Amino acid sequence: MSNASKTAPRLAFSPLDLPNRSLGWQVAAVVLGSVLLTIASYVEVPMVPVPMTMQTFAVALVGALFGWRLGGITVLAWLAEGASGLPVLAGGHAGLHHFAGPTAGYLFAFPVMAVLTGWLAERGWNGRRVGFAFVSMLLAHGLCLALGAAWLATIIGVEQAIVHGVTPFLLGAVLKSALGAATLKALQAGKTQQAA
């Protein structure tokens, strides 16, 4: 390795660069991230037995912007808020019963989604490489649908879980993945312009 490459600054995977910020910044990010997740939960298209919201968009985005550790912590903190009774889940719902009902598999998949997009973002699947960012978001959505449907299948059967818990959300997963990748690209471009 040359001396030039040893001294070259390492590019941050995210315009927020949270791993290099103070603990105060990181705590604030967790709080703001949980607010973003809550707002996204209120953007809802009613469907049965699982509503379609912008939650997965926000979960994947938080992971990609915060990194796998802080993204996972943020989503877990938000889920803890919902479990404790704060109206932060889809449609303003709350309570432990959501973690045992039809939506439980999706809820438990959310931290895994954030960890996946964060881990991939830290390896270059981020706003600098929008195609990879799109694939990262798509993989996260696919994982969420698979885990959610696996749990739902224990309640309504495999076929019905696919019909009601996967198929209606496929187009939304693609669109939200594209929106997530575009958001990462826009944030990265804004950060690059500020630095110039």
Side-chain angles (χ1 to χ4, degrees):
M1 182 180 287
S2 70
N3 287 336
S5 61
K6 285 181 184 175
T7 59
R10 186 173 178 267
L11 292 174
F13 72 89
S14 162
L16 301 180
D17 197 21
L18 288 173
N20 293 319
R21 301 224 182 229
S22 69
L23 180 61
W25 268 95
Q26 293 180 8
V27 169
V30 170
V31 171
L32 291 174
S34 67
V35 169
L36 172 65
L37 290 162
T38 301
I39 292 168
S41 299
Y42 279 78
V43 180
E44 180 178 82
V45 177
M47 296 174 75
V48 175
V50 179
M52 183 169 70
T53 68
M54 290 299 285
Q55 284 176 324
T56 54
F57 162 78
V59 166
L61 190 63
V62 163
L65 288 172
F66 289 16
W68 75 267
R69 290 179 188 88
L70 200 56
I73 289 169
T74 301
V75 174
L76 287 171
W78 168 71
L79 290 175
E81 292 167 8
S84 70
L86 294 175
V88 299
L89 302 177
H93 292 123
L96 278 174
H97 63 283
H98 291 286
F99 294 84
T103 60
Y106 302 94
L107 293 174
F108 286 114
F110 287 166
V112 182
M113 281 184 72
V115 166
L116 176 62
T117 56
W119 188 82
L120 289 171
E122 290 175 10
R123 281 147 187 83
W125 296 43
N126 53 42
R128 288 189 182 85
R129 301 165 76 191
V130 72
F132 282 97
F134 170 72
V135 172
S136 167
M137 300 269 175
L138 202 55
L139 288 171
H141 278 91
L143 180 63
C144 181
L145 289 174
L147 293 174
W151 171 262
L152 192 57
T154 66
I155 300 171
I156 62 175
V158 174
E159 184 178 337
Q160 290 301 308
I162 293 170
V163 168
H164 296 291
V166 176
T167 306
F169 303 102
L170 292 175
L171 178 60
V174 173
L175 294 175
K176 287 186 275 186
S177 296
L179 179 60
T183 302
L184 289 175
K185 179 71 174 174
L187 290 171
Q188 187 62 51
K191 179 70 172 180
T192 303
Q193 285 179 353
Q194 285 180 355

